[in-house]
Amino acid sequence: MPGSSLPSPPDPASGRPSPPAGRADRLAERAEVLRELVPSYLARRRALLLWLSAGLVATGWAAIWVGCRYVVMDDLVSVVVGAFFLAVAVGLVVPSTLAVGSGVRDDLKARERLRAWAGSARDRDSLARWHSPGRALFWLLPSLVLCCFGAASTAAAAADGSARALGFALVAAGTGALGMAKAVGYYRLVGRELTPAPEEPEEPGEPEEPGEFEESGEFEEPGEFEELEEPRECEEPEVPGEFEEFEADPTGGRPDDMR
């Protein structure tokens, strides 16, 4: 599998952001790993092997069709010829299908590894070190043609009711879809690399320490104050009556204060 001997990708959600020196080393390591992963993931020989396997599967499907036509005949020679074509078809279809399945499994593992390394950081400056536009186009354009041709042929074969044409169309459409999925997945990684990274949320500040008065506890609680005595009711002074008579002097004269 491509990149199986490379180090494991870092965890993007682990801890706080690394210091500038550590981040530079991590970006350099990331660029070197992607530089090895991308060419092996988009290797042209892998595309050629996929198309060759698809061609062998289509040839095997044609051999199956021819063999079935000979087998249904009554003469012995036709039956033998039909059995020969069926054996050839099995020898073509089975290994080719297994090869395509093995390649798809390896591609899925390589894609997960590539996405893990690409998702660990974003560095537009290092994109030129691992970007492979030529390989990506080599996968995308022929796969697009195969997929469109296969889809149109599938619709036409389904309308005509031709099983042989339907088999060829499905093989072409499936092969094109596999190649397009690979190329589109790679372009998504490139697009993510060119997108600015989201700003990291600021860490919450330290809680404010209590003030001097709160620490010293100089504030008195309401219960510490002495309660004021309620004012007593003022006694009304006795006012002498208007017609209160002065006590007469036994000598018959006026009081001394009236003299």
Side-chain angles (χ1 to χ4, degrees), residues 56-67 80-96:
L56 293 177
V57 171
T59 305
W61 174 250
I64 291 175
W65 181 262
V66 174
V80 172
V81 173
F84 172 76
F85 275 103
L86 290 177
V88 171
V90 172
L92 291 175
V93 173
V94 173
S96 301

Side-chain angles (χ1 to χ4, degrees), residues 149-160:
F149 173 76
S153 301
T154 301
D160 295 341

Side-chain angles (χ1 to χ4, degrees), residues 3 5-9 29 33 113 117:
S5 61
L6 297 175
S8 301
E29 181 186 14
V33 172
R113 197 173 186 85
W117 272 104

